[in-house]
Amino acid sequence: MTDTALPPLSAERARHIARAFLPDWPLGNRYHYYYARAKLRSDPLYPGVCAALKGTSAPLLDLGCGLGLLAHALHEEGIAVRYFGVDHDARKIVDARRAALRRGLVDAGFETVDLSRSLPPHRGSVAMLDVLQFFSPGHQQVLVDGMLAMLAPGARLVIRTGLDDGSRRARITRGTDRLSHLLGWMKSAPRHYPDADRLRARFDAAGLHSSFAPLSGDTPFNNWLIVATRD
Ligand SMILES: C[S@@+](CC[C@H](N)C(=O)[O-])C[C@H]1O[C@@H](n2cnc3c(N)ncnc32)[C@H](O)[C@@H]1O
């Protein structure tokens, strides 16, 4: 299937959002600033997710939110939904809170949660972006079922994930995720990439309408945007 992803953010908009992640003093650590700038500039993820959530008003739970870049992208797009992001990396949550405060995202909250232990209670839309691969097949099912149970009518479930389709892109995705873990950028190592047919069957069984579209843009990865709705 052709990748019809929207382009990533412009350099100017990426820099504008990333500035919220600058350290408090000139010689402070700029890692998250540079990461945010490069990620927003190179990955079509956030424009794709914003397009998927446009027109919704239900509160959004972002599972494995990292620095909460999605909250900033939604704000920039004028998509005014209440946002709550959780991640097990406490350092990211501290920086996510600080950046959201700096940018005046009053409707955004963050908490440290380990998704291998629990899911927070929620009713509304749910996003899980580049996170599913960190869990075993069994726990992925638990998470998917948990997310489906959170969906309110008119709300959306938005997942981006690599898929296990044997492609060269899939191998590059797995290799890069492994490297990110070895270099200490990611606390967890990748465990399993989901199978598209199994996921679709799960959505069908729950009576949801779902769509699968490539969302890699110019990156070499095998990333897909999955959107499921309960009409
Ligand atoms: C590739 S990053 C994606 C971050 C964010 N979703 C985004 O797209 O900007 C994967 C995130 O999943 C988080 N993560 C991995 N395992 C987790 C777990 N067991 N519980 C909560 N978060 C987890 C990582 O800390 C990391 O922030």
Side-chain angles (χ1 to χ4, degrees), residues 35 39 45-46 62-70 86-89 92 113-116 128-131 133-135 177 186-188:
Y35 169 81
K39 175 85 176 165
L45 171 63
Y46 307 104
D62 186 5
L63 296 168
C65 64
L67 296 173
L69 293 177
L70 177 58
V86 301
D87 201 286
H88 71 158
D89 189 329
K92 287 183 187 166
V113 172
D114 183 352
L115 297 172
S116 65
M128 184 182 256
L129 311 177
D130 300 346
V131 179
Q133 74 272 18
F134 296 116
F135 303 98
D177 280 339
M186 206 55 67
K187 269 174 77 172
S188 321

Side-chain angles (χ1 to χ4, degrees), residues 12-36:
E12 194 185 331
R13 292 185 80 192
R15 206 177 310 113
H16 169 72
I17 293 178
R19 265 202 287 269
F21 294 90
L22 278 169
D24 286 327
W25 53 91
L27 294 180
N29 188 338
R30 293 184 166 221
Y31 176 72
H32 283 161
Y33 164 73
Y34 288 119
Y35 169 81

